[in-house]
Amino acid sequence: MQTLKSIPGELFRTALPLTLVTLAGSAARLADRLFLGHHSQTALAAVSPAFVLTGVFSCFILSVISYSGTFVAHNYGQRRHFAAVRTLGQGLWLAFLSLPLVFISIPVGNFVIHMLGHSQELSRAETTYFDIVMCAQALATLSAALSGYFTAERNARLVGVASVAGCLLNIVLDPLLIFGCGPLPALGLAGAAYAAAAGSALSTVLLLRPLVSKRHFTGPLRQHLAFNGKLALRILRFALPNSVRGLVEMAVFYLFICATAATGETALAVSNICLCVNGIFFAALDGTSRATAALVGQTRGSGNDSSSNRIPRIALQLLLLPFAIMTAVYLAGGRSITLLFGNPATDPASFAGLGLTLFAILIINDICETAQNIYGSALLGVGDTRFALRCSLAAHLLVWAPLLVFTLTFHPSIVCCYLSSVIGRGVHALLLYLRWRSDKWRQIHLT
């Protein structure tokens, strides 16, 4: 059974490699935008909308598959290793069965891009990036199942190594494929997409390797990787609300990206820079959130609800230092950071000033998002996915999305778009916090 005394150390040990996973991903996206910003402003403006649209179409599938890791965590808390491996098998089967949905998403995504009304050059660039990266999501489905399993089994280090290796390959290939080198042609935005796909492929191969090389995955345990319809349906029962939640949140975030695009190509380029840089702090938040879900699942599975109840507060305490560093960097260096990604010939002072303003708003936004992610992850860890879905629908469809539509209709401003995010995330965080404090999650039994 997990003890309260061990929780801070376990949370930190699990969160650190997962933070490196997201940090490496943020570094790869920063490299994409840094090189693309010096390639063309159109490429820089196109990459974030296309990347987010990829997330919209893949998040539903990946959320279903990765939620198998929550079942693994509960089984691990109960010391049921064979059941954990059997759950991994269902995650891999769900990944295989989801492949048709991944490829069907490509023409649908192209239709969405063309319906947005962007310029022909911008739409063509977005379509190119989207098509290549969506094809790579076929491998990401396997990574989602494997990452959930190894994280829940306290082997987050393997997940970190695989992801960092993939992101390093992405970064190395970026300049070679974007600008060309020797026999390699200059592919521009397509080169950034191919680099991302290559990195994803390497990460998946590294996560698959233990399945065929480690002795405890051979022999009798292989039968537990066989398809189990009853268990797969139970995973789907809890995972589908979580997947719908993720789909709604990504869809509204894509609406946010589209709203920023409507404020002008320069404003969109600055917004892309700020969001990408903010991904560095989000790495700590995402890693800690995933660790929170895993540890809550383990302690809940072992029946130690008092420890489960304390984990979110400890997670918030761990994030105080990175948040303080982020705040100081944004306020002191917001202008300089913005200009690193390109110094436009027309009014660079205004370009940098807008970056500082958006960084300041992101500080407030990140406070709300931190509470939202930590308490949301804790609820997902105990299996309270239906209420998490209701919270998300209320905050995103009744608050954030209407504010974005109002902004686009009456005052299309990049600052107003960012402020709408603060309000929407603030409402969402409050609803999740009140649910966690109510202790109604104790009535839910996942396994």
Side-chain angles (χ1 to χ4, degrees), residues 4-83:
L4 181 63
K5 188 175 181 180
S6 71
I7 286 178
E10 289 294 337
L11 188 61
F12 179 78
R13 282 191 291 272
T14 304
L16 182 59
L18 296 178
T19 296
L20 292 177
V21 169
T22 312
L23 186 61
S26 298
R29 288 190 291 274
L30 273 171
D32 285 347
R33 286 143 182 81
L34 182 61
F35 292 119
L36 290 172
H38 291 279
H39 181 267
S40 74
Q41 186 163 312
T42 298
L44 178 60
V47 63
S48 282
F51 178 80
V52 174
L53 186 61
T54 302
V56 171
F57 280 93
S58 62
C59 71
F60 182 86
I61 299 169
L62 297 180
S63 294
V64 169
I65 297 167
S66 62
Y67 199 75
S68 62
T70 302
F71 280 75
V72 173
H74 280 246
N75 287 319
Y76 184 86
Q78 298 166 11
R79 300 297 186 263
R80 299 169 60 202
H81 182 69
F82 281 7

Side-chain angles (χ1 to χ4, degrees), residues 46-287:
V47 63
S48 282
F51 178 80
V52 174
L53 186 61
T54 302
V56 171
F57 280 93
S58 62
C59 71
F60 182 86
I61 299 169
L62 297 180
S63 294
V64 169
I65 297 167
S66 62
Y67 199 75
S68 62
T70 302
F71 280 75
V72 173
H74 280 246
N75 287 319
Y76 184 86
Q78 298 166 11
R79 300 297 186 263
R80 299 169 60 202
H81 182 69
F82 281 7
V85 177
R86 188 164 58 248
T87 303
L88 167 63
Q90 306 323 299
L92 294 174
W93 273 105
L94 290 172
F96 175 75
L97 294 174
S98 70
L99 292 181
L101 293 177
V102 173
F103 294 112
I104 290 172
S105 299
I106 295 176
V108 178
N110 290 338
F111 175 77
V112 171
I113 291 173
H114 289 298
M115 289 296 292
L116 292 175
H118 294 171
S119 68
Q120 185 176 1
E121 184 181 8
L122 186 61
S123 294
R124 189 184 304 113
E126 290 174 347
T127 301
T128 298
Y129 187 90
F130 174 82
D131 290 352
I132 298 170
V133 176
M134 273 306 298
C135 288
Q137 294 305 303
L139 291 174
T141 58
L142 294 176
S143 292
L146 294 165
S147 297
Y149 172 78
F150 289 121
T151 299
E153 286 265 294
R154 293 188 185 178
N155 196 2
R157 182 181 300 177
L158 174 62
V159 179
V161 170
S163 296
V164 170
C167 291
L168 287 176
L169 178 62
N170 184 353
I171 294 172
V172 170
L173 291 178
D174 262 338
L176 301 178
L177 297 180
I178 291 174
F179 301 106
C181 180
L184 297 176
L187 299 176
L189 186 59
Y194 283 123
S200 178
L202 177 60
S203 297
T204 303
V205 169
L206 292 177
L207 287 173
L208 280 170
R209 187 172 178 272
L211 296 184
V212 296
S213 65
K214 283 193 174 182
R215 181 172 299 176
H216 69 273
F217 278 109
T218 62
L221 287 183
R222 285 185 175 175
Q223 65 184 340
H224 294 286
L225 297 178
F227 183 73
N228 185 316
K230 184 177 180 180
L231 178 55
L233 288 176
R234 184 164 181 81
I235 293 173
L236 287 174
R237 174 190 165 193
F238 285 90
L240 284 176
N242 181 49
S243 298
V244 174
R245 176 196 61 81
L247 179 62
V248 169
E249 292 180 4
M250 285 300 300
V252 175
F253 185 67
Y254 185 66
L255 176 62
F256 166 79
I257 294 295
C258 293
T260 61
T263 63
E265 192 168 295
T266 299
L268 177 60
V270 175
S271 176
N272 288 348
I273 292 168
C274 294
L275 291 175
C276 190
V277 172
N278 195 57
I280 296 175
F281 169 72
F282 184 78
L285 173 56
D286 184 61

Side-chain angles (χ1 to χ4, degrees), residues 7 11 292 295-296 299 307-316:
I7 286 178
L11 188 61
T292 297
L295 202 57
V296 166
T299 54
S307 292
S308 299
N309 198 35
R310 297 289 301 277
I311 291 173
R313 190 180 72 176
I314 297 171
L316 292 173

Side-chain angles (χ1 to χ4, degrees), residues 333-402:
R335 292 176 181 272
S336 300
I337 292 172
T338 306
L339 290 176
L340 281 176
F341 291 82
N343 191 346
T346 57
D347 201 2
S350 177
F351 189 83
L354 179 59
L356 178 61
T357 300
L358 297 186
F359 276 128
I361 298 175
L362 278 174
I363 294 173
I364 305 172
N365 183 81
D366 286 345
I367 294 174
C368 300
E369 190 171 8
T370 297
Q372 170 193 321
N373 281 19
I374 294 300
Y375 285 105
S377 296
L379 289 173
L380 296 180
V382 298
D384 198 1
T385 55
R386 293 182 181 179
F387 185 83
L389 171 61
R390 293 196 292 269
C391 281
S392 182
L393 292 176
H396 286 79
L397 298 184
L398 300 181
V399 180
W400 192 4

